Amino acid sequence: MDEETRLIRKGSEPTALARTVNPPIQRASTVLLPNAASLYDDDQVTYGITGLSSPAALQKALAELEGSPDVTLYPSGLAAITGAMLAVLKAGDEILVVDSAYKPTRRFCDRVLTRFGVATTYYDPALDADGLMALTTPRTRMILLEAPGSLTFEMQDVPAIAKAANDRGIITLIDNTWAAGLYFKPLAHGVTISVQALTKYVGGHSDCFMGSATTMDVDIGNALGDAMWDIGWSVSPDDAYTMLRGLRTLTTRLPRHHENGLVIARWLQDRPEVARVLHPALPGDPGHALWKRDFTGACGLFGVVLKPCSQRAVHAFLDALKLFGLGFSWGGYESLAIHCDPQLKNRSVPVGLEGPLLRLHIGLEAIEDLKIDLDRGFEALGSA
């Protein structure tokens, strides 16, 4: 062969790989098949969009976490939610969405599903199963839950809602990112589709996007996989490797977030500037009984309602923080803070809060250092 051909070909021959702790990373769009008959064999990996080493290893490990037969991967948490909806919804359907759902989920329902003839009704997260079923119609195809709810952290009676929906042939989908698939097991409580943003706690280091969806229903599982192919979602092998590495330490990191979060939440309850703390793991929280019954732990994310003060004072508080970063994501090792009031304006059900709402993510830093940082913020708030 000519040198030009030899330089292209040499070094690509398949060889047996040494056994390593972590799976190899296969970077490939094209997959070379052994013979012509294999080109259209759906039981083989024929294209690099899925099935290569690191995504396949991540899927297997996540299936163990979720207690399911298979997991579909998506390039972001939002893609997992929207991809699952697109897999099972059709024109003429209706979806009931909890009013405290993740804001981008709401945006997708309002901007995209509406254009495709799927109607969305937002419901009060305080509704019990009977109240929620009263909102269903013959067109209701799906109920979307989130517990605790985004920003305001309301709990829902997920098992009761799932059972009532199942009895009526209605699909339930839950955004289970807060529990990270570890502290709450939706499929074991009757939910049809469990979704989470792996970007948050599974990744754990604020450097990678990904989402997952899984189900015990074979037909819906096939629909999730078909939609992934039809829409063209894929995850990179390097990102899958990063996610798998994060998953390995999830059961070590998350208890620390749980512990740190509760210590800071209790400390904030005693601050004179704070009206109340929104954290279902705190006794006295409206959702505490449901959390204690269904969950085995909590993460580091919760809300803080300040006593009435100006936006200028809120900004002064946030701008004075040194350890808490100002950023919208969460689930990494670092502590974060945001002001939530601008996002609450789109809610259908009025949110009655005493004052401005902050959302804190408590990371893995030393507790006393975080208290000092928050003290600095409160001093700035008082001065403003």
Side-chain angles (χ1 to χ4, degrees):
M1 290 186 289
D2 186 83
E3 183 177 48
E4 185 176 28
T5 302
R6 286 185 283 115
L7 290 177
I8 287 175
R9 294 288 177 155
K10 285 298 178 181
S12 62
E13 301 90 344
T15 57
L17 297 176
R19 185 182 179 190
T20 56
V21 172
N22 294 302
I25 298 176
Q26 292 176 285
R27 298 183 182 92
S29 55
T30 297
V31 174
L32 299 177
L33 283 303
N35 50 54
S38 299
L39 288 170
Y40 298 98
D41 181 358
D42 291 337
D43 292 330
Q44 295 198 45
V45 177
T46 58
Y47 197 51
I49 196 170
T50 188
L52 298 180
S53 56
S54 52
L58 176 61
Q59 287 172 293
K60 185 175 181 179
L62 287 172
E64 184 71 23
L65 176 69
E66 296 276 3
S68 65
D70 191 27
V71 169
T72 302
L73 299 176
Y74 303 84
S76 70
L78 178 61
I81 295 172
T82 61
M85 287 194 280
L86 290 173
V88 298
L89 296 174
K90 64 182 184 307
D93 285 343
E94 177 186 61
I95 178 173
L96 301 181
V97 177
V98 65
D99 200 41
S100 55
Y102 180 49
K103 181 183 175 182
T105 299
R106 189 185 199 104
R107 187 175 61 216
F108 176 81
C109 292
D110 294 342
R111 291 184 182 179
V112 180
L113 288 186
T114 300
R115 294 200 340 254
F116 290 97
V118 177
T120 301
T121 298
Y122 296 99
Y123 66 89
D124 189 337
L127 284 179
D128 61 12
D130 290 338
L132 185 50
M133 292 308 112
L135 298 180
T136 63
T137 72
R139 295 175 55 197
T140 304
R141 172 68 170 157
M142 175 184 284
I143 297 173
L144 191 149
L145 308 100
E146 188 171 335
S150 285
L151 306 180
T152 42
F153 298 92
E154 300 92 343
M155 289 296 297
Q156 295 185 263
D157 192 339
V158 176
I161 292 171
K163 182 180 185 307
N166 289 338
D167 290 345
R168 292 163 175 78
I170 298 172
I171 294 169
T172 49
L173 181 155
I174 189 168
D175 183 339
N176 193 40
T177 304
W178 192 87
L182 182 65
Y183 286 151
F184 180 63
K185 306 290 185 179
L187 302 182
H189 287 84
V191 175
T192 315
I193 303 173
S194 174
V195 172
Q196 63 165 314
L198 305 176
T199 308
K200 307 301 197 283
Y201 283 113
V202 171
H205 294 77
S206 303
D207 58 359
C208 190
F209 290 97
M210 201 172 295
S212 66
T214 186
T215 181
M216 299 298 290
D217 186 294
V218 174
D219 291 336
I220 291 178
N222 290 335
L224 292 175
D226 289 344
M228 182 274 296
W229 277 100
D230 294 341
I231 298 169
W233 293 131
S234 65
V235 302
S236 82
D238 295 87
D239 287 348
Y241 183 95
T242 299
M243 282 297 167
L244 184 61
R245 185 172 61 182
L247 180 62
R248 301 306 192 200
T249 61
L250 179 65
T251 57
T252 300
R253 290 182 287 105
L254 208 53
R256 178 67 180 270
H257 285 288
H258 168 114
E259 178 185 350
N260 283 4
L262 279 177
V263 170
I264 294 296
R266 294 189 185 106
W267 180 79
L268 287 167
Q269 284 183 310
D270 295 330
R271 294 289 311 199
E273 305 90 347
V274 173
R276 56 185 164 125
V277 176
L278 310 180
H279 194 318
L282 288 175
D285 185 273
H288 180 69
L290 288 173
W291 173 84
K292 189 174 182 179
R293 185 193 71 186
D294 296 338
F295 284 62
T296 58
C299 69
L301 192 75
F302 59 88
V304 180
V305 182
L306 300 175
K307 291 180 179 177
C309 62
S310 67
Q311 179 173 285
R312 185 170 66 89
V314 174
H315 286 186
F317 173 90
L318 294 173
D319 290 342
L321 299 175
K322 304 296 184 183
L323 292 180
F324 282 81
L326 307 186
F328 282 102
S329 193
W330 45 276
Y333 56 83
E334 77 287 2
S335 294
L336 297 168
I338 64 168
H339 179 208
C340 302
D341 289 8
Q343 294 190 58
L344 299 179
K345 296 176 182 178
N346 295 325
R347 295 279 182 96
S348 300
V349 180
V351 180
L353 300 176
E354 297 85 342
L357 175 62
L358 303 177
R359 189 187 72 186
L360 300 182
H361 176 255
I362 308 304
L364 304 180
E365 301 93 343
I367 287 292
E368 293 306 314
D369 290 333
L370 294 178
K371 289 180 180 178
I372 291 170
D373 201 38
L374 291 169
D375 269 328
R376 184 183 297 112
F378 283 121
E379 182 178 351
L381 183 145
S383 298

